[in-house]
Amino acid sequence: MTLGRYTLVLQQGGSNGGTGIDWPDTPGEALAQFSGVVADVLVFVAAFVAVYLLGRLVLVPLTNRAMRARGFDPTIRSLAENVVGVLALFAAVAVAFTVAGFEVFLAAFATIGGALALALGFAAQDLLSNFVAGIFILKDRPFEIGDWIEWNDMEGTVEDIDLRVTRVRTFDNERITVPNSELANNALTNPVAYDTLRQRFVFGIGYDDDITHATQVILEEAARVEGILDDPEPSVRVTELADSYVGLQARFWIGDPSRADLVGVQSEFVQAVKERCDAERIEMPYPYRELTGSIDVDGMTEQEPSAARADD
């Protein structure tokens, strides 16, 4: 029987107990019969060690240095080192089999490895998708730990970025574990990506009120609120002519934004404008409806208009 470049002599019975293999009877015959195998095993081991050490001691440090120079995240550098290490292992096995002349084993190894990789690929499509998305998130840095992000009508503060998932703490103190593919494949807002953040709020005044006066009141109160920047300066624009009010949209900027700062500054600003408008007798009207109808009293119907105010 031929296996690679080696031949095992098969017999139909014989003095070796009927095993079918021509085993050597003396140490000299054993040395002569298996000397080629021993030599090839030694070649295999030497080639494997040489290639593997070359990959671990040369390629891995070079990969780390190159990725560090390009500013990659430590997590990605560690992942790249592990991948290069695994590739060095496979390369060492392949080269060792080839140099030692074990082509049959190499072909079988490649076939089994390919089939295993295909099966794992089909079984772990979502896992691989999240894994690749995690690499791009760590590389592109659309957000960082501590950032406030918004996606798919959800929002929160990033607590941890892993290669498979990102953990987000909501403002109700809940933890959401989000697959990285969801964040990488959908529109995501990072309100704190820059040093400043602009906000808008619409104040409604009555149609009989002076727009110029109301605008001046809003700007003066914005200048008094700590947290609203002077540069860029606040501004006010008429944006709505609603059923019951004229809409004045105030636009202001805050520095070093966070959601807590945003809510606090906006609350203080709106309260100050409301109190100032009350003092200046600037009306902030609310929607109202006039209800009309009939009332049946003792069999007699009387038409009686009535008016009521109600929020829409």
Side-chain angles (χ1 to χ4, degrees), residues 107-142:
F109 178 76
T111 302
I112 295 174
L116 182 61
L118 184 62
L120 289 176
F122 279 114
Q125 292 183 24
D126 292 339
L127 180 63
L128 292 175
S129 175
N130 292 325
F131 185 80
V132 173
I135 292 177
F136 281 104
I137 288 175
L138 291 171
K139 175 183 178 296
D140 298 336
R141 296 178 181 274

Side-chain angles (χ1 to χ4, degrees), residues 143-211:
F143 54 83
E144 298 180 354
I145 293 176
D147 283 357
W148 158 31
I149 61 173
E150 301 173 348
W151 81 100
N152 291 344
D153 297 327
M154 304 181 71
E155 61 179 341
T157 303
V158 178
E159 282 193 325
D160 183 49
I161 305 173
D162 204 349
L163 285 173
R164 189 179 65 85
V165 297
T166 295
R167 296 172 183 84
V168 179
R169 173 181 288 185
T170 70
F171 298 113
D172 294 328
N173 203 33
E174 301 170 330
R175 172 179 287 181
I176 303 178
T177 301
V178 189
N180 285 330
S181 59
E182 182 175 339
L183 297 177
N185 297 329
N186 293 287
L188 181 145
T189 302
N190 186 348
V192 295
Y194 303 107
D195 294 335
T196 58
L197 176 66
R198 190 182 76 170
Q199 287 296 295
R200 294 170 290 183
F201 191 88
V202 176
F203 295 96
I205 65 173
Y207 274 89
D208 295 332
D209 292 310
D210 187 349
I211 294 178

